Amino acid sequence: MTLDKFETEKWSFEIPPEPIADSDIAETIESEVVVVGGGMSGMCCGCSASMAGADVVVVTASSKPIGRGGSNNAIGSKYQKEMGVDYDPQKAQEIVKVEQLINSFNLDTKKWATWVNRSAEFMDWQIDIMAEVGLKPCLENAYVDPDGITSCPPSAHNFWNEETPNGALEGAPQQAAGYASKIESTGGTIYYSTKALQLVRDDDGKGRVSAVIAQDKDGKYIKYVGTKAIVLATGDFSKDRDMMARYSPEAYEIFKDKITWDNIDYDAGLVYDGLYPGDGHKMALWVGAAWQKNTTCFCNMHIWPTWPNPEGLDSFFGINMDIYGERFMNEDSNIAHILNVVRHRPQEKIFYVWDADYANIRDEWNLGSCYKNVNGIPSTPASAMPEMWDGNVEQGTMIKADTIEDLLAQWDDIDQETAKKTIENWNRYCEQGYDEEFQDVESILVPVKTPPFYGAKTTPTDYTFLTVLGGPRTNSKLQICDENDEPIEGLYCVGSMIGDFYGSIYSFYVPGLNLGSVCGALPYVLGRQLAGVE
Ligand SMILES: Cc1cc2nc3c(=O)[nH]c(=O)nc-3n(C[C@H](O)[C@H](O)[C@H](O)COP(=O)(O)OP(=O)(O)OC[C@H]3O[C@@H](n4cnc5c(N)ncnc54)[C@H](O)[C@@H]3O)c2cc1C
């Protein structure tokens, strides 16, 4: 295809469907605020608007409130204060700047300021709502960067109860349900299993967006009129092949054979196979929205831990080698960035080697426990780690041997002789406290000397897909805009589909940023604005 063709021909998702005729509409329901999508951002916005006095309707294709994961970042909440965590917007500037730098400032810094300045208030509000449904807050542990550059204090909040103590993995669906019950108890209505299909833009498609037409599970068309706003909150577009190829080409290339494209599940929860088909994005484009300014949407991808530190954010801080048996980086990195590094290695493979003593780099490993162990999940003592690795050896995801030679001999896809020398050099760097090749900080120079020895490798099959973030051009008031940055009156969006909140990568250095910002503080503020209380 030539560039001309690329610019003049339309993608399938850009072509609007035939408008649904008025005569086909079985029912019209009017409300001040109509939220489309019952995930965390939609429920949060609806709840905020409803509690602030607006008349709210939520229309969602899902059969229930939707959430996944559960880490919600906030800066200076009442719970952080209660737990003695000294954190505020001024102190957060360090990590916020790191995040913005990682993305070359190719993002909307004004939206970030809303999150930074309002996240504590939002979290305090949320804590009270969740308490009503028996959910308690806890804080995930601090991220301590050995190089001291990307550290982040305990700031990811999650919500848990005795039945589901691991709020970081299981909390979000319960939070969404907590918002839903508050919406209903404050007079709002939620229509489940009702899929939005088209927006109605008045004045021959040039005026205000006044309604959305949806179809319920019996096939009936219902028009939801929003006298103040239609708020799109339909999640991401990772299940639409064309949209991925057009707007997230790098992610598309990496994951095109992994994502199953044709099985759309509007109840998608904790899945790693793509989420939604971008219905809200398409509806916005069809009524004249421009795409966000960044060329590619951020793609949240990482490699699920096949290395010995299963703590979440860290990549493996010990020796990393490529197929030549050579090291290639300062190993102090994290799970989001290591994927990019691996992609630049031949055959996209990296190999990790460590020894039995590696378990003792810390006294205990936090595999699900939270800050000050509030959720009661015990830490794992160092002495239990080798047993865990042995389990992985049995499952075939790690290898083990009594000598380095025997260990390396189990891999036929690495240069074993060079690898052996690389490990000897590494041990020398550990002894002298200085890494002559990549200047790893001394605290992560852990020798590979004490048998048994362990190994693992990452290949492209270990790449894990989460979501794509971004969408229609969105201003800092969360209004969806046209090509001239003019807001389309009446049309807003929240959540993963907000345009230009992120640049190219979701780094995890601010854990739970998405739930805390675009799905939390920002929809909270928008809900209040739409209700007219600010
Ligand atoms: C496995 C996994 C774990 C994650 N964990 C975290 C985490 O811990 N912290 C974090 O910050 N982020 C996490 N994320 C990112 C996460 O997806 C988001 O933070 C969050 O769930 C997005 O919320 P949302 O409201 O934008 O969309 P979603 O929660 O995806 O909700 C979209 C809603 O819109 C509905 N919908 C879609 N199309 C239509 C339509 N046409 N009409 C009506 N309704 C429609 C859907 O049914 C759904 O109810 C995780 C992602 C994955 C995949």
Side-chain angles (χ1 to χ4, degrees), residues 249-317:
E250 193 186 353
Y252 176 71
E253 275 309 311
I254 300 171
F255 295 107
K256 64 184 177 204
D257 298 327
K258 284 193 164 186
I259 294 174
T260 49
W261 298 100
D262 39 12
N263 64 337
I264 310 281
D265 173 11
Y266 284 98
D267 282 346
L270 200 70
V271 295
Y272 302 95
D273 178 36
L275 296 171
Y276 292 118
D279 292 347
H281 307 64
K282 289 172 196 153
M283 287 190 278
L285 292 174
W286 297 336
V287 296
W291 193 252
Q292 67 174 38
K293 296 192 179 180
N294 284 339
T295 46
T296 51
C297 278
F298 159 78
C299 172
N300 177 355
M301 47 196 174
H302 64 188
I303 301 163
W304 211 245
T306 42
W307 50 82
N309 343 3
E311 287 214 321
L313 291 178
D314 310 340
S315 58
F316 175 50
F317 288 169

Side-chain angles (χ1 to χ4, degrees), residues 110-129:
K110 209 166 167 185
K111 292 189 194 102
W112 279 65
T114 306
W115 166 61
V116 170
N117 292 322
R118 302 292 297 271
S119 72
E121 171 194 335
F122 153 67
M123 187 54 70
D124 294 354
W125 170 81
Q126 187 182 188
I127 286 169
D128 293 344
I129 294 167

Side-chain angles (χ1 to χ4, degrees), residues 81-316:
K81 291 191 178 81
E82 192 185 316
M83 297 303 286
V85 176
D86 181 19
Y87 196 37
D88 62 28
Q90 191 66 57
K91 295 194 172 78
Q93 278 314 301
E94 208 171 304
I95 191 68
V96 166
K97 208 161 188 176
V98 165
E99 279 285 358
Q100 296 184 345
L101 268 169
I102 287 168
N103 287 294
S104 309
F105 284 89
N106 191 11
L107 39 75
D108 182 349
T109 45
K110 209 166 167 185
K111 292 189 194 102
W112 279 65
T114 306
W115 166 61
V116 170
N117 292 322
R118 302 292 297 271
S119 72
E121 171 194 335
F122 153 67
M123 187 54 70
D124 294 354
W125 170 81
Q126 187 182 188
I127 286 169
D128 293 344
I129 294 167
M130 296 311 149
E132 291 177 26
V133 291
L135 290 175
K136 297 174 264 197
C138 78
L139 281 172
E140 290 159 35
N141 286 297
Y143 176 61
V144 182
D145 174 17
D147 273 330
I149 298 165
T150 56
S151 297
C152 187
S155 48
H157 299 60
N158 66 55
F159 291 88
W160 65 284
N161 57 26
E162 272 68 23
E163 293 78 50
T164 49
N166 194 346
L169 265 187
E170 308 166 303
Q174 310 205 57
Q175 286 171 261
Y179 284 138
S181 78
K182 193 73 182 174
I183 291 172
E184 286 170 329
S185 69
T186 50
T189 311
I190 304 173
Y191 295 90
Y192 291 105
S193 304
T194 303
K195 181 177 156 187
L197 301 173
Q198 294 178 9
L199 295 167
V200 178
R201 190 167 179 189
D202 302 340
D203 302 330
D204 282 335
K206 297 193 171 49
R208 186 174 177 278
V209 168
S210 58
V212 58
I213 300 172
Q215 190 168 35
D216 72 10
K217 59 177 183 308
D218 303 321
K220 197 169 81 173
Y221 291 120
I222 306 163
K223 185 190 235 181
Y224 294 91
V225 174
T227 57
K228 285 192 174 163
I230 306 290
V231 182
L232 299 176
T234 55
D236 80 352
F237 60 88
S238 56
K239 276 284 192 181
D240 186 295
R241 193 174 193 135
D242 283 7
M243 289 185 81
M244 286 290 279
R246 168 73 178 94
Y247 292 126
S248 205
E250 193 186 353
Y252 176 71
E253 275 309 311
I254 300 171
F255 295 107
K256 64 184 177 204
D257 298 327
K258 284 193 164 186
I259 294 174
T260 49
W261 298 100
D262 39 12
N263 64 337
I264 310 281
D265 173 11
Y266 284 98
D267 282 346
L270 200 70
V271 295
Y272 302 95
D273 178 36
L275 296 171
Y276 292 118
D279 292 347
H281 307 64
K282 289 172 196 153
M283 287 190 278
L285 292 174
W286 297 336
V287 296
W291 193 252
Q292 67 174 38
K293 296 192 179 180
N294 284 339
T295 46
T296 51
C297 278
F298 159 78
C299 172
N300 177 355
M301 47 196 174
H302 64 188
I303 301 163
W304 211 245
T306 42
W307 50 82
N309 343 3
E311 287 214 321
L313 291 178
D314 310 340
S315 58
F316 175 50

